[in-house]
Amino acid sequence: MTAVPTSPAPLTKKDYKTDQEVRWCPGCGDYSILNAVQGAFAKLGKQLHETVIVSGIGCSSRFPYYMETFGFHTIHGRAPAIATGVKTSNPALDVWVVTGDGDAMSIGGNHFIHAMRRNVGLKILMFNNRIYGLTKGQFSPTSEQGKVTKSSPLGSVDYPFSPIALSLGAGGTFIARGIDVFGPHLEDTICKASAHKGTALVEIYQNCNIFNDGAYKGFTEKEVRDERILYLEHGKPLLFGANKDKGIRFDANFQPQIVTGADLDKAFVWDETAANVAPAMALATMSEGEFPVPVGVFRRREKPNFETGIQAQITAAKSKKKESIRDLLFAGEIWDVS
Amino acid sequence: MQTSNTTAGTEKGLQDLDQIVIRFAGDSGDGMQLTGDQFTRTTALMGNDIATFPDFPAEIRAPAGTLPGVSAFQLRFSSFDIHTPGDAPDVLVAMNPAALKVHLKELRKDGILLLNTASFSALDLKKAKYEKDPRTDGTLDGWRVIEVDLEARTLEALATSKLDNRGKERCKNMYALGILYWMFHRDMAPTEKAIAQKFAKKPELVEANLMAMKAGFAYAETTEIFQTAYRVPPAQMKPGTYRNIMGNQSLCLGLVAAGQKAGLQLFLGSYPITPASDILHQLSTYKHHGVVTFQAEDEIAAVCSAIGASYSGSLGITSTSGPGMALKAEAIGLAVMAELPLVILNVQRAGPSTGMPTKTQQADLLQAMYGRNGECPVAVIAASTPADAFEVGYEAVRIAVKYMLPVIVLSDGYIANGSEPWLLPDPEKLPAIPVKFAPEGQPGTKFMPYARDAQTLARPWAKPGTKGLVHRIGGIEKADVTGNICYEADNHQHMVDTRAQKVANIAADIPPIETIGPRTGDVLVLGWGSTRGAITASTLRLQKDGHKISCACLRFLNPLPNDLGDLMRGFKKVVLPEMNKGQLAMILRAKYLIDVVSFSQVNGQPFKSHDIHAFLQKTLASLGSTRDAGSAKETRR
């Protein structure tokens, strides 16, 4: 590993843009995510040469070409595995993974859960548009059941899963959700993810205006969003509505309930650092139709990092034993022939 | 044992032989591998040349006493230079009826059978699929049978030991070892030392094991059933310092030595798989050399993490066997496109699919050469003996970083677990492995990730964290020099040609092919990988008989050495024994339009040299080659 000098020079959003023409469809949610990432990186003063963005395959995975950092556009689903190699081999690097719901949840599901489990210092931005965009519109593991697509003309039979719930189950230490059209909130969430030492997941609801247009408009449109979005704020009760006149509490079986009026003070006070995973799991799995959609940080727990543990073993072993190549080879039972 | 120069010993009952082949066979739990290993170490220290072949089942512990549970260890030691662990054993140690059933047919006629008679009940015989007791129905006629109830003898010998009876019985392999040590005039001291080390925390085990061994030795010395002991004088070996080594071990040492020489951190991404797991185990003990080992969630993550490590400036390595290679194919393609150094170790086993994990084969050559989508050439090199794996591991690193490309190393189960004395190299004389990372970029200039070295065509290795080098690469086709995404027809043709040329350029880096025998003649026997021993042994025998036959073992399979075509054309026939259906033969026929004769064996076992010998004799006869005693010049490797 090499020590990377950190002498922050002031950088602006513009400094993170490359000379490459952005090739997403006009109107794609990816543009606003790119903007939020560049905004967050500028705010955090990230140095171009210290930052590596690794992606898989899919529309989202074109992301590295548009960021003036080190970028590695790899193969379908494998970005977390490649990024784990990058980060473990040189923990001083700031390593980001950009992926999508097909890339991370389907073909790369295994690498995703193991990255979460190991707590490698990777920041994973998963663009979830609930559809396969690059292959022109097949259902994805996050598409709602009954989705009519080219590969499911009678409606998909598959059930979707929640990437947040999956990550909670995999032992993730930082799990958050943002939405492409909520730019400032997304930028803020990305900053929080960056501050986290271990694996950080930001699921980003992203509109694919070509193959799944309006997937999220039921809770993102200006007229409805106040009533339909639940902002998770650490240390504050779970309240929503234009006048914050509705809340979420949990019953004895940890089922979420909407409370109003006199019961509003029974709203659950959100603790993103809680050891108990149950409240976050309940929020991640509650019905999108019946309940507001939570955004913000579901979970944030400190736990030693994988790469730190690995490098610590190396450092300790090196200080304990020095061995030349000769000593390495001329070891065990050796004998001389003259 | 019916060797040419058997002479009467100087002591009463001591006979000199020039070589012996012993096979230990018993239940998986009988400690046959340990017993064989101890005999091997002792014999190596006593200065004999030695070659070993462990042959064990995939099951960790198949039901005791059954045929699938039989584990064996064959070793051959000699007072001359040997190349294989031998064909038929001179001595078979059979620990139960099942071991007898599986291995007796291989024992040389008139050979010695040391048979443990402790478990010959009707049930034991049934488990071994014997209808009658083989000791009484004539089955053992034609062999020199020595029957010993090893369990009873061991229990007797350990009367004073604190172990329970089960623990005592488990020392019976050491009792058998003691018998063999007397029979073959071996020194017990190295084993005493090794056992004391192995069970350092359990003194009662050390005591019992050594007591059993010494009792076995004394039993053989005093009882009348053993009339002769044999002695195999030390071999005339090249001067130097030796160490007995297994293929997986020496491969690891080659990698670590290369990493040190290159000043690179090694990063192994691996997923456990037989027979490659020992590479993961061993490299994880070299943390003090800065070796990072990552046990990944699967084969794909293993290779991908190694690619990530190489991308960030370490030397990425991944180790696996055939099924794992199939899973890694797409990622290897990425490394080819990204033009990153990567070392892929394939310890081949019998396939297809799961196949026979503990059995050997070399049927992954075409997979290594072509098993990826697109035109996707990589360097392919093969280890040919346990000791040779050191040089091959070292060479793989050197080539990968010099040419910035993936190198596939082919080993196999036979090399991985087999062992031989290794003449240790002088570390100072190992070739240099210069590594030059791209320097910091100057302000105002743009880094060109695919600007190439004029000679090797290698692109620069640009470590993230270095100022002024930010760039984007990936699996999409890119324009040469700039690395920008590019779908233009002419550029793609150019890049495909360039990636192929990079591999082809390595040929200039390969020394001429070493042959055993003259570079012209009647028959050239070509080989690659672990067939080397059997090929060499049969060729030397035929050369001695006066035939115009030579042999050579190829280390580089892609690219092939520049002098291969001319070499083959210097012979009337080229014969290529392979443990596959003729894969290299197919490549050579296609590339050189030479009628290479394939001699194929795909049964999970290494070639026996007498099978190759017989095939070569037939080939020579078909050419009308007659013995021409005295004209053939014998050279040794």
Side-chain angles (χ1 to χ4, degrees):
Chain A
M1 61 186 272
T2 52
V4 176
T6 46
S7 50
L11 290 164
T12 65
K13 244 182 189 180
K14 193 169 69 46
D15 293 315
Y16 297 96
K17 296 191 159 93
T18 64
D19 58 1
Q20 298 294 297
E21 185 193 338
V22 183
R23 295 193 200 180
W24 288 312
C25 308
C28 176
D30 290 357
Y31 285 93
S32 51
I33 302 173
L34 178 61
N35 190 50
V37 171
Q38 288 168 341
F41 278 22
K43 204 181 271 178
L44 297 167
K46 286 198 185 295
Q47 296 298 297
L48 308 178
H49 67 282
E50 293 171 4
T51 310
V52 180
I53 303 178
V54 183
S55 66
I57 293 293
C59 296
S60 59
S61 290
R62 291 294 182 106
F63 198 90
Y65 294 112
Y66 312 134
M67 292 290 293
E68 188 66 12
T69 62
F70 282 89
F72 198 2
H73 179 204
T74 69
I75 46 178
H76 207 6
R78 317 303 170 201
I82 289 166
T84 296
V86 174
K87 184 73 180 172
T88 307
S89 146
N90 185 356
L93 296 170
D94 188 6
V95 183
W96 292 68
V97 169
V98 176
T99 180
D101 47 315
D103 196 51
M105 295 292 107
S106 196
I107 193 167
N110 199 31
H111 311 306
F112 177 83
I113 57 173
H114 289 281
M116 301 306 288
R117 167 176 78 85
R118 290 194 187 98
N119 203 36
V120 196
L122 308 176
K123 316 302 161 211
I124 303 176
L125 306 178
M126 193 199 63
F127 301 7
N128 181 1
N129 55 16
R130 298 186 175 173
I131 201 77
Y132 286 144
L134 197 64
T135 50
K136 304 194 174 172
Q138 301 81 4
F139 63 94
S140 93
T142 55
S143 299
E144 64 279 13
Q145 198 197 18
K147 186 91 183 163
V148 175
T149 71
K150 278 183 202 155
S151 63
S152 54
L154 302 181
S156 61
V157 180
D158 298 42
Y159 302 105
F161 63 24
S162 154
I164 302 278
L166 180 75
S167 307
L168 288 166
T173 55
F174 182 97
I175 298 161
R177 180 186 286 148
I179 300 183
D180 54 0
V181 290
F182 298 179
H185 178 267
L186 179 59
E187 192 176 301
D188 183 53
T189 307
I190 291 166
C191 289
K192 285 178 180 162
S194 179
H196 184 69
K197 283 204 188 84
T199 312
L201 167 73
V202 183
E203 178 192 29
I204 304 170
Y205 282 168
Q206 170 246 327
N207 189 46
C208 172
N209 57 325
I210 305 296
F211 295 108
N212 202 16
D213 195 24
Y216 301 117
K217 74 174 181 197
F219 49 86
T220 56
E221 295 276 280
K222 281 222 166 61
E223 317 71 81
V224 297
R225 65 168 69 147
D226 286 345
E227 298 301 318
R228 297 282 293 118
I229 294 288
L230 171 67
Y231 287 96
L232 304 177
E233 293 177 88
H234 184 55
K236 294 191 181 162
L238 297 174
L239 299 179
F240 64 102
N243 303 314
K244 299 283 179 200
D245 56 353
K246 297 182 203 62
I248 299 285
R249 54 155 281 176
F250 299 106
D251 71 8
N253 296 321
F254 247 102
Q255 290 302 307
Q257 291 175 337
I258 294 177
V259 289
T260 53
D263 284 341
L264 204 57
D265 62 353
K266 289 179 184 150
F268 190 81
V269 176
W270 190 242
D271 177 7
E272 64 194 28
T273 65
N276 183 5
V277 78
M281 194 58 97
L283 292 186
T285 52
M286 66 191 183
S287 156
E288 204 171 273
E290 281 177 58
F291 293 94
V293 174
V295 298
V297 180
F298 284 72
R299 187 171 180 77
R300 177 170 58 84
R301 298 277 298 170
E302 290 303 323
K303 197 156 106 177
N305 277 27
F306 176 78
E307 70 281 10
T308 317
I310 292 281
Q311 291 292 350
Q313 288 187 347
I314 302 254
T315 310
K318 274 183 173 172
S319 70
K320 241 186 244 163
K321 189 174 176 185
K322 305 257 181 279
E323 191 177 57
S324 65
I325 301 182
R326 173 170 291 277
D327 293 342
L328 170 75
L329 303 185
F330 289 63
E333 286 162 307
I334 57 172
W335 68 96
D336 289 316
V337 172
S338 48
Chain B
M1 255 179 343
Q2 291 84 349
T3 53
S4 52
N5 64 341
T6 301
T7 57
T10 49
E11 295 164 36
K12 190 186 172 195
L14 183 64
Q15 202 178 355
D16 275 356
L17 300 174
D18 64 357
Q19 63 163 325
I20 292 283
V21 179
I22 302 176
R23 186 180 296 179
F24 297 92
D27 250 339
S28 304
D30 278 344
M32 291 299 93
Q33 303 302 323
L34 174 90
T35 313
D37 187 48
Q38 284 305 322
F39 200 104
T40 303
R41 286 159 177 254
T42 297
T43 299
L45 289 173
M46 291 178 75
N48 295 109
D49 196 5
I50 188 159
T52 70
F53 174 46
D55 187 12
F56 42 83
E59 294 81 7
I60 303 299
R61 291 279 165 88
T66 61
L67 301 175
V70 175
S71 170
F73 187 103
Q74 179 158 317
L75 62 92
R76 176 185 183 206
F77 63 105
S78 65
S79 36
F80 59 92
D81 187 16
I82 52 173
H83 308 280
T84 74
D87 297 344
D90 303 305
V91 180
L92 172 65
V93 179
M95 299 296 279
N96 64 13
L100 181 69
K101 177 90 174 192
V102 173
H103 292 285
L104 182 65
K105 56 184 178 293
E106 302 241 355
L107 180 61
R108 173 172 293 188
K109 281 290 158 198
D110 205 33
I112 295 174
L113 169 67
L114 176 61
L115 182 62
N116 175 21
T117 57
S119 37
F120 270 79
S121 72
L123 180 65
D124 296 320
L125 294 174
K126 200 178 151 201
K127 278 198 267 185
K129 306 252 188 294
Y130 274 122
E131 279 164 17
K132 287 183 198 157
D133 190 334
R135 295 174 297 174
T136 54
D137 69 353
T139 303
L140 307 184
D141 290 356
W143 288 287
R144 288 185 273 166
V145 185
I146 299 167
E147 295 187 23
V148 182
D149 184 336
L150 285 175
E151 272 162 46
R153 294 287 80 75
T154 306
L155 284 176
E156 232 171 62
L158 299 185
T160 60
S161 161
K162 289 183 198 110
L163 295 183
D164 60 14
N165 276 3
R166 204 180 138 73
K168 288 177 187 173
E169 267 181 27
R170 293 189 59 176
C171 296
K172 63 177 185 283
N173 61 325
M174 296 301 290
Y175 195 96
L177 184 63
I179 293 177
L180 288 174
Y181 275 179
W182 179 83
M183 279 176 72
F184 296 105
H185 216 65
R186 304 285 97 180
D187 181 4
M188 284 193 284
T191 299
E192 287 175 36
K193 200 175 135 198
I195 294 291
Q197 259 173 15
K198 187 176 166 71
F199 301 117
K201 287 183 186 149
K202 293 179 180 164
E204 67 281 5
L205 277 185
V206 176
E207 190 199 43
N209 274 289
L210 297 184
M211 234 151 79
M213 177 174 73
K214 287 174 188 168
F217 192 96
Y219 173 82
E221 193 170 32
T222 50
T223 55
E224 290 185 354
I225 46 178
F226 298 99
Q227 302 185 349
T228 320
Y230 304 91
R231 187 169 64 182
V232 179
Q236 286 298 316
M237 297 174 75
K238 266 192 195 168
T241 305
Y242 284 81
R243 168 180 179 181
N244 198 55
I245 199 87
M246 298 190 350
N248 274 346
Q249 286 177 330
S250 64
L251 189 53
C252 291
L253 291 173
L255 296 168
V256 175
Q260 290 284 333
K261 205 82 171 180
L264 288 171
Q265 171 176 273
L266 296 189
F267 179 104
L268 174 79
S270 185
Y271 185 78
I273 184 169
T274 302
S277 302
D278 281 340
I279 294 172
L280 168 61
H281 304 161
Q282 188 167 345
L283 284 177
S284 58
T285 66
Y286 293 138
K287 293 190 168 53
H288 58 288
H289 286 282
V291 179
V292 177
T293 51
F294 172 57
Q295 183 176 313
E297 57 270 22
D298 57 32
E299 295 280 1
I300 299 172
V303 62
C304 284
S305 62
I307 292 171
S310 283
Y311 174 79
S312 68
S314 298
L315 194 274
I317 304 168
T318 188
S319 55
T320 189
S321 188
M325 281 303 280
L327 288 165
K328 293 180 197 295
E330 186 193 14
I332 296 171
L334 174 66
V336 167
M337 275 304 245
E339 303 191 29
L340 286 168
L342 177 69
V343 174
I344 303 131
L345 312 172
N346 177 3
V347 185
Q348 300 165 96
R349 66 190 215 186
S353 186
T354 306
M356 302 192 288
T358 58
K359 307 298 175 192
T360 196
Q361 211 159 86
Q362 41 182 193
D364 299 349
L365 173 61
L366 293 180
Q367 179 193 39
M369 294 288 293
Y370 306 115
R372 293 164 294 283
N373 58 307
E375 289 290 348
C376 197
V378 299
V380 181
I381 63 179
S384 60
T385 72
D388 183 58
F390 173 83
E391 284 181 35
V392 166
Y394 193 94
E395 183 71 352
V397 175
R398 189 182 75 83
I399 296 291
V401 301
K402 179 170 177 183
Y403 294 88
M404 291 291 284
L405 44 67
V407 178
I408 294 179
V409 172
L410 294 175
S411 175
D412 64 33
Y414 180 46
I415 296 170
N417 292 313
S419 67
E420 67 176 347
W422 172 32
L423 175 57
L424 290 163
D426 180 351
E428 306 304 316
K429 290 187 183 147
L430 292 171
I433 304 181
V435 174
K436 196 170 152 251
F437 288 107
E440 275 192 13
Q442 296 309 309
T445 61
K446 199 165 157 42
F447 176 62
M448 294 293 150
Y450 283 80
R452 298 177 182 282
D453 178 275
Q455 188 216 332
T456 61
L457 298 181
R459 76 176 191 89
W461 196 353
K463 239 205 254 201
T466 316
K467 276 187 185 164
L469 296 190
V470 292
H471 66 281
R472 273 66 54 191
I473 58 168
I476 298 188
E477 186 60 283
K478 52 197 73 58
D480 208 2
V481 185
T482 66
N484 291 332
I485 292 179
C486 181
Y487 282 75
E488 282 167 26
D490 288 350
N491 176 69
H492 181 54
Q493 182 74 53
H494 168 72
M495 291 299 270
V496 166
D497 294 343
T498 303
R499 287 185 288 263
Q501 191 57 48
K502 269 193 358 166
V503 176
N505 285 352
I506 299 169
D509 226 343
I510 306 176
I513 300 167
E514 277 180 46
T515 60
I516 295 177
R519 294 180 79 90
T520 55
D522 289 338
V523 170
L524 173 68
V525 197
L526 270 184
W528 67 278
S530 70
T531 53
R532 173 175 176 166
I535 289 172
T536 307
S538 353
T539 305
L540 289 174
R541 228 176 113 189
L542 290 162
Q543 285 177 346
K544 249 186 204 164
D545 291 346
H547 290 289
K548 290 177 183 159
I549 185 167
S550 299
C551 70
C553 178
L554 301 179
R555 173 179 287 175
F556 274 84
L557 301 170
N558 201 32
L560 288 161
N562 283 334
D563 55 343
L564 180 59
D566 285 346
L567 178 67
M568 288 194 290
R569 286 184 195 99
F571 292 84
K572 290 182 191 156
K573 272 267 180 260
V574 179
V575 176
L576 180 37
E578 282 181 279
M579 297 188 290
N580 59 43
K581 293 293 280 177
Q583 298 190 6
L584 182 61
M586 187 180 103
I587 293 172
L588 298 185
R589 291 171 73 106
K591 184 165 175 181
Y592 297 97
L593 298 179
I594 289 173
D595 186 15
V596 174
V597 179
S598 170
F599 178 47
S600 155
Q601 172 187 297
V602 202
N603 62 0
Q605 293 292 324
F607 273 107
K608 293 197 181 336
S609 57
H610 70 68
D611 290 339
I612 294 184
H613 180 261
F615 186 85
L616 294 175
Q617 266 185 324
K618 249 192 274 169
T619 309
L620 287 162
S622 74
L623 295 172
S625 163
T626 47
R627 292 179 175 208
D628 181 12
S631 73
K633 200 176 138 202
E634 186 179 320
T635 50
R636 291 262 166 97
R637 70 183 161 100

